[in-house]
Amino acid sequence: MKIAIIYGSTTGMTQIVAGKIKERLGDLADEPADVSTFNPERIADYDALLLGIPTWNIGEMQEEWEDVAPKFLIPELQGKRVAMFGLGDQMGYPDTFGDALGLLWDIIEPAGPVLFGRWPTEGYEYEASAGERDGTFLGLMCDDDQQPELTEERLDKWCAQVLQELGAGSAVS
């Protein structure tokens, strides 16, 4: 099993979360890669991709993802297992919390990846999210602005869920 963690981070928070995910996944995951320097042709080298994106401004994609996401529309993404994690501020932006998850998925979905790692919406207070579909988030949502005390627990649970859904068990090195 080989997992790529690819993130975009303007303020550094998504990069920090990507590093924490790497710590939890151990040798199964490569070191997190900034999306601005990741070559999408390397997608074929991985069994799964974990894509990290913060919602920026009022419901927008992070700048590097906005530039690079269309480059992920390559044949190698067909059937590739993809999980997403995002950051947002549910109190400051309750109408657009986690929108970037939905925006990113809408761009890459036509290439045929298989989404896994969806996350429940319970425990969050927001009004609307393009990152929510069928009552769950398209991936893990962290809110280090309003709920920083929940981030570590959410990461523990989500990483265990990701490993289980990948059939890699819950123990990591």
Side-chain angles (χ1 to χ4, degrees):
M1 176 71 52
K2 191 170 180 186
I3 301 170
I5 304 170
I6 307 161
Y7 67 89
S9 189
T10 302
T11 64
M13 294 305 298
T14 308
Q15 180 179 8
I16 290 168
V17 170
K20 290 179 179 191
I21 290 170
K22 163 61 177 150
E23 289 172 8
R24 285 162 172 81
L25 299 182
D27 293 339
L28 293 176
D30 279 357
E31 287 298 320
D34 189 306
V35 70
S36 66
T37 60
F38 182 81
N39 181 351
E41 293 177 7
R42 291 190 53 218
I43 288 172
D45 297 340
Y46 295 97
D47 299 300
L49 308 175
L50 307 183
L51 308 179
I53 184 168
T55 299
W56 196 245
N57 291 324
I58 301 174
E60 298 174 14
M61 291 181 71
Q62 192 265 345
E63 187 176 349
E64 282 81 15
W65 269 115
E66 190 172 33
D67 294 340
V68 176
K71 295 177 183 175
F72 276 64
L73 295 172
I74 58 176
E76 289 80 7
L77 199 57
Q78 175 70 38
K80 187 68 61 180
R81 294 186 278 182
V82 171
M84 299 187 295
F85 60 98
L87 278 80
D89 179 348
Q90 62 194 306
M91 301 294 183
Y93 303 95
D95 293 333
T96 59
F97 179 63
D99 276 5
L101 288 178
L103 297 172
L104 178 57
W105 182 247
D106 289 345
I107 290 171
I108 66 172
E109 183 182 25
V114 176
L115 181 67
F116 73 105
R118 293 179 69 117
W119 189 250
T121 59
E122 291 82 23
Y124 299 88
E125 294 182 35
Y126 63 97
E127 294 174 21
S129 177
E132 178 187 334
R133 309 279 165 89
D134 302 321
T136 62
F137 288 118
L138 294 172
L140 172 66
M141 277 304 304
C142 295
D143 184 347
D144 279 350
D145 293 310
Q146 306 302 325
Q147 297 176 324
E149 73 282 0
L150 299 177
T151 297
E152 296 296 328
E153 179 183 354
R154 286 175 174 161
L155 285 168
D156 288 344
K157 289 180 179 178
W158 187 72
C159 287
Q161 174 187 329
V162 162
L163 290 173
Q164 182 179 27
E165 290 181 29
L166 288 173
S170 59
V172 294
S173 56

